[in-house]
């Protein structure tokens, strides 16, 4: 049980590890754990739109997809040109001695290969989480996010992910709130 508890302490570090790509956007910040939560919400939604997907498998894959960053940190695309993180080594050390370590390694291998439906949906959810942040910042008047949105959309692979990205592009970030505000002016029955 000691090794499992150590693993849990280590994964909780993801709440304090910030994603580094936001420094190029100006505003915005997010921890790896916050990102994982958003990815899981999007993945669950994509699974509802893709009935043939195994929802539990997809969500578990999304849960673990950035766990090695507890040891490596989050490297953005610029940093990856100069720093070679050894994700496999970090993952092996992270999962060493865990009775479910093989499960985590297999899920990450599947995610990285991107061949199964669940891996493609997980990877799309990962990109869509970023796209939602970009759209929100753009709607608030920041120019830099618009430069990146097209590149993010090019990475999408599933019909549901592509359709969702198109809808994100047409929807203002606060439309749900505005509708609630406007609707509150009418009497609820």
């Amino acid at each position: 049980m000691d090794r499992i508890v150590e693993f849990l302490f280590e994964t909780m570090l993801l709440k304090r590890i910030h994603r580094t790509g936001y420094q190029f956007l100006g505003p915005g910040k997010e921890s790896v754990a916050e990102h994982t939560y958003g990815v899981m919400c999007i993945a669950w939604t994509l699974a509802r739109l893709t009935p043939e997907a195994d929802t539990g498998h997809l969500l578990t894959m999304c849960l673990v997809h950035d766990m090695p960053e507890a040891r490596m940190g989050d490297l953005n695309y610029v940093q990856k040109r100069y720093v070679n993180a050894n994700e496999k080594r970090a993952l092996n050390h992270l999962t060493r001695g865990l009775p479910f370590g093989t499960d985590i390694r297999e899920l990450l291998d599947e995610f990285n290969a991107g061949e199964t439906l669940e891996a493609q949906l997980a990877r799309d959810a990962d990109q869509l989480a970023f796209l939602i942040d970009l759209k929100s910042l753009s709607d608030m008047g920041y120019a830099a996010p618009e430069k990146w949105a097209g590149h993010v959309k090019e990475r999408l692979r599933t019909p549901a992910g592509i359709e969702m990205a198109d809808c994100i592009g047409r929807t203002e970030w606060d439309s749900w709130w505005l509708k609630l505000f406007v609707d509150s002016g009418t009497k609820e029955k």
Side-chain angles (χ1 to χ4, degrees):
M1 187 63 75
D2 290 347
R3 180 62 193 106
I4 292 171
V5 171
E6 289 171 352
F7 164 77
L8 294 174
F9 274 114
E10 184 170 356
T11 59
M12 289 298 154
L13 282 174
L14 295 172
K15 295 190 305 183
R16 289 181 256 157
I17 295 174
H18 290 281
R19 291 173 39 95
T20 60
Y22 284 89
Q23 64 195 359
F24 296 101
L25 300 175
K29 66 179 182 174
E30 177 178 61
S31 72
V32 175
E34 289 169 324
H35 167 71
T36 298
Y37 173 77
V39 169
M40 291 183 71
C41 289
I42 293 165
W44 183 85
T45 304
L46 289 172
R48 302 279 67 82
L49 300 171
T50 314
E52 63 272 24
D54 180 334
T55 303
H57 187 71
L58 171 59
L59 291 176
T60 306
M61 190 180 304
C62 290
L63 177 67
V64 303
H65 86 283
D66 279 338
M67 271 187 188
E69 292 181 10
R71 290 186 181 233
M72 303 178 334
D74 176 67
L75 298 175
N76 61 54
Y77 287 105
V78 171
Q79 292 168 329
K80 287 179 182 179
R81 293 181 131 217
Y82 305 101
V83 177
N84 293 317
N86 191 335
E87 183 179 278
K88 194 69 126 176
R89 184 174 182 209
L91 182 60
N92 287 336
H93 289 172
L94 177 99
T95 59
R96 185 181 294 152
L98 291 174
F100 45 82
T102 301
D103 297 334
I104 295 171
R105 287 188 302 275
E106 287 174 356
L107 285 162
L108 272 167
D109 287 344
E110 181 180 349
F111 176 84
N112 289 329
E115 295 171 1
T116 65
L117 174 62
E118 288 76 16
Q120 291 171 3
L121 289 167
R123 292 163 69 96
D124 276 8
D126 192 32
Q127 295 304 309
L128 289 166
F130 187 39
L131 190 61
I132 287 172
D133 286 342
L134 290 172
K135 179 65 165 102
S136 297
L137 291 171
S138 178
D139 286 352
M140 288 184 252
Y142 296 98
E146 290 183 31
K147 297 176 196 175
W148 297 96
H151 299 290
V152 174
K153 289 168 87 171
E154 289 174 1
R155 298 181 198 137
L156 299 173
R157 296 291 171 252
T158 66
I162 292 166
E163 183 179 357
M164 190 176 290
D166 290 340
C167 191
I168 289 167
R170 295 188 309 269
T171 305
E172 292 185 12
W173 79 279
D174 60 351
S175 65
W176 67 274
W177 175 253
L178 183 59
K179 287 177 186 173
L180 182 65
F181 175 74
V182 170
D183 289 347
S184 70
T186 63
K187 291 189 176 188
E188 293 185 26
K189 295 182 182 185

